[in-house]
Amino acid sequence: MTDPKSKPIPLQDELPAIIESLRNPAGDDPLFATLQAIAANRAIFLEKSHATWKALHNRSLDEILALESLLFGDVRKNMPAAMVWYLRRCLAIWRRINDAILWGLLGFKDHIIRTVCHRKDRPQLASANPEAIRKLLNNLNSDPMTIAIWSDATTCVDLGDVFCKSHSGKPSGFLEVKEGAMNDKIFELIRVKGTPDD
């Protein structure tokens, strides 16, 4: 990972280190040298893996939002076509990094991905209430044994707003997130007595 104060590194140069951290999120600690060692040190392994994935996910959200501001704003009008292509490619790579994190959290079960992927066009994160979603992500991700990923920042999840996997009792699964008036209406509906027809 790069230091935000250092000179930016082109994504293609940084990608090998990112891929390695996706493959080996807990690092080269001997505690995780074998599957048996990982099982024996599961809590530490999860905590380190989650920390790596959370850092990558947060970084990806920053990058996607920054790229969207260039690609979907007035700045794009003055960009050469090759630059637009490069920025779109970077945007796709950051979404694929989130796919890799989610794929791992789902246990590499392709039937689950097939179920939650409906091949929808990806929404712009900037138009999907990033402040509220990131606040929720920060809240959920403050627990080392829980990891939450914003579904809209992937290319493969069209179900819910957030995927959360918790090993400490927090909500797990695909979560739909609402706030404000819509949230109030949902809570009103939950309190309604009677049959669905009522």
Side-chain angles (χ1 to χ4, degrees):
M1 300 292 196
T2 58
D3 177 357
K5 295 176 185 169
S6 65
K7 185 178 176 186
I9 299 172
L11 181 55
Q12 65 269 20
D13 294 343
E14 191 180 3
L15 207 49
I18 292 172
I19 292 168
E20 181 55 31
S21 67
L22 286 167
R23 286 184 180 152
N24 196 8
D28 291 327
D29 194 313
L31 289 174
F32 319 124
T34 65
L35 289 177
Q36 294 80 9
I38 290 171
N41 300 289
R42 186 171 185 263
I44 301 167
F45 178 79
L46 286 173
E47 198 169 319
K48 286 189 172 202
S49 296
H50 286 179
T52 298
W53 289 332
K54 289 172 190 180
L56 274 175
H57 185 57
N58 279 326
R59 169 89 188 285
S60 77
L61 297 180
D62 293 339
E63 296 289 341
I64 291 169
L65 287 164
L67 288 164
E68 284 180 350
S69 72
L70 295 172
L71 286 167
F72 302 109
D74 290 335
V75 177
R76 179 183 170 177
K77 294 175 187 172
N78 300 320
M79 281 186 199
M83 177 61 86
V84 172
W85 178 88
Y86 176 76
L87 295 176
R88 284 189 175 279
R89 194 78 170 151
C90 290
L91 185 67
I93 290 169
W94 283 112
R95 286 183 181 275
R96 292 293 186 181
I97 288 167
N98 289 322
D99 289 353
I101 296 168
L102 204 71
W103 185 261
L105 292 172
L106 294 172
F108 304 101
K109 295 177 181 168
D110 57 349
H111 66 281
I112 296 176
I113 294 292
R114 283 196 303 271
T115 302
V116 300
C117 182
H118 304 144
R119 307 267 182 226
K120 291 182 180 177
D121 289 337
R122 303 321 300 163
Q124 287 183 39
L125 294 190
S127 65
N129 204 354
E131 295 82 15
I133 294 289
R134 291 193 88 172
K135 185 176 177 182
L136 174 66
L137 290 174
N138 290 338
N139 186 333
L140 291 169
N141 285 329
S142 66
D143 175 6
M145 298 304 286
T146 299
I147 182 167
I149 303 294
W150 189 1
S151 302
D152 286 345
T154 70
T155 66
C156 63
V157 177
D158 296 306
L159 183 70
D161 296 307
V162 170
F163 175 76
C164 185
K165 185 164 189 173
S166 179
H167 300 275
S168 63
K170 288 195 175 188
S172 283
F174 297 94
L175 310 175
E176 192 69 30
V177 180
K178 300 291 178 237
E179 74 162 0
M182 180 60 75
N183 197 51
D184 295 339
K185 291 291 182 194
I186 290 168
F187 279 113
E188 281 178 33
L189 286 171
I190 289 171
R191 289 190 293 269
V192 169
K193 304 284 187 222
T195 66
D197 291 337
D198 297 333

